[in-house]
Amino acid sequence: MADEILNRYRESIDNIDAALIFMLAERFKITKAVGEHKAATGLPPADPGREQIQIDRLRALAKSANLDPDFSEKFLRFVIDEVIHHHRRAGADG
Ligand SMILES: O=C(O)C(=O)C[C@]1(C(=O)O)C=C[C@@H](O)C=C1
């Protein structure tokens, strides 16, 4: 038997997952431009000082949103590490 309640929840989950994908795509679009700029101007791929500011900010936002700050930090770390990997490739290619 179809579980209408579960189906409704899953519709919302699917919408949220789609929004996350679109937002990540926009983020990677802009970080691609950042990587090209860094490669062109000789800036290093990673900026640990900037990362710390981002982590502190997202941890505070996560707390106020009732989201686990450790999870938010792990998520940001995962995304930033991928960006740095792209930056390194852009530098090596350029
Ligand atoms: O702001 C930068 O300098 C970036 O390259 C972007 C970004 C990020 O994805 O937010 C990635 C790498 C840096 O270490 C810091 C931040």
Side-chain angles (χ1 to χ4, degrees):
M1 199 189 80
D3 184 333
E4 286 310 320
I5 294 175
L6 183 58
N7 284 345
R8 262 206 316 278
Y9 290 155
R10 284 180 174 171
E11 261 179 40
S12 265
I13 289 169
D14 287 345
N15 285 345
I16 292 164
D17 287 348
L20 283 173
I21 291 299
F22 285 127
M23 287 195 285
L24 279 171
E26 282 305 304
R27 196 183 194 284
F28 276 94
K29 230 187 261 178
I30 191 69
T31 55
K32 184 173 190 292
V34 172
E36 286 162 4
H37 174 72
K38 284 185 165 182
T41 56
L43 285 167
D47 182 341
R50 163 72 177 153
E51 290 172 22
Q52 197 52 57
I53 291 167
Q54 290 168 281
I55 287 165
D56 292 347
R57 176 169 174 265
L58 277 209
R59 287 187 68 92
L61 283 174
K63 264 184 222 157
S64 70
N66 263 329
L67 182 70
D68 179 358
D70 291 342
F71 169 75
S72 78
E73 179 171 347
K74 265 191 274 179
F75 177 73
L76 185 66
R77 185 74 267 153
F78 179 70
V79 172
I80 288 179
D81 284 348
E82 182 68 16
V83 170
I84 291 170
H85 177 69
H86 290 196
H87 284 357
R88 292 212 170 102
R89 246 185 8 212
D93 290 349

